[in-house]
Amino acid sequence: LLHRCASERFVRRVFLPLVHHVELIDHILSFLKLPQVTMSEVTAVKASSSAANDRQCSAANTLSADDGTWWLSAPDSCPNGVGAEWVLYRLRPAVGARARFQYVQMKIPKLPYGPLSVRVFHVEVADDESGPFVRVGPDLTTFNTDRMQEWALPTPVECACVRLVLTKNAAACELEDKWLRLSGMRLSEASCIGFLRVGFA
């Protein structure tokens, strides 16, 4: 049921001759059912750092539809655009409650307006906000577009918490150096990282 490889009807037919009690089968099935993530239930719990005293740069903004706000890590958190800054999300309101997802979505500002936007990141998951966290999937790379982007993880993931770990911003990518020049920013000044919006599906 978790991976949609068997229907609930099929599982009931398998268990009924063995168990003979519908109530017990219902109880067993309750452990096999896991809801698909719903973005209205997702909350941003915390971030590794945030631009100081600036609500415009809060991690909670990544769940907003307002492109006038975003999350941005603290100054000097990513020297020369490289680091390991993260934002932690809880998938369901109840602490420890799990949900299922396989797709990660993200929106960033298009260059030359977003030299600090994330270019490389990966996904980590856990069943508790304090971890331990396990990496799922390879490095994911954003494209230079202001449209919502989407990546598929190798397999569906079942967890309570998701941590997006951002390791390189656009300014740090050699192929983007022309955009860096256009923005008038030196690489040494590109010492933080961020994004506009996130989604899971």
Side-chain angles (χ1 to χ4, degrees), residues 61-70 196-197:
N61 294 336
T62 62
L63 297 173
S64 168
D66 182 6
D67 284 349
T69 62
W70 49 81
L196 294 174
R197 195 181 311 161

Side-chain angles (χ1 to χ4, degrees), residues 1-62:
L1 294 180
L2 297 179
H3 296 287
R4 299 179 183 174
C5 58
S7 68
E8 182 175 338
R9 182 179 178 185
F10 173 79
V11 174
R12 287 182 181 278
R13 288 176 59 190
V14 170
F15 275 111
L16 191 57
L18 303 172
V19 178
H20 305 294
H21 295 286
V22 175
E23 296 82 7
L24 183 55
I25 294 174
D26 289 339
H27 184 66
I28 293 171
L29 287 173
S30 71
F31 291 97
L32 300 178
K33 294 179 181 178
L34 198 65
Q36 190 76 12
V37 65
T38 301
M39 284 307 299
S40 61
E41 294 187 335
V42 177
T43 54
V45 179
K46 58 184 175 181
S48 52
S49 70
S50 293
N53 301 319
D54 191 346
R55 291 184 181 179
Q56 194 175 29
C57 299
S58 167
N61 294 336
T62 62

Side-chain angles (χ1 to χ4, degrees), residues 71-122:
W71 169 73
L72 190 65
S73 67
D76 300 322
S77 58
C78 289
N80 294 323
V82 177
E85 292 295 292
W86 50 263
V87 180
L88 174 63
Y89 299 92
R90 187 165 63 225
L91 297 185
R92 299 179 68 192
V95 175
R98 305 169 88 214
R100 181 177 184 269
F101 76 98
Q102 189 174 5
Y103 298 91
V104 179
Q105 302 159 339
M106 186 179 287
K107 187 172 185 180
I108 60 172
K110 184 178 180 180
L111 289 169
Y113 306 107
L116 303 179
S117 62
V118 60
R119 184 61 81 230
V120 181
F121 70 101
H122 64 265

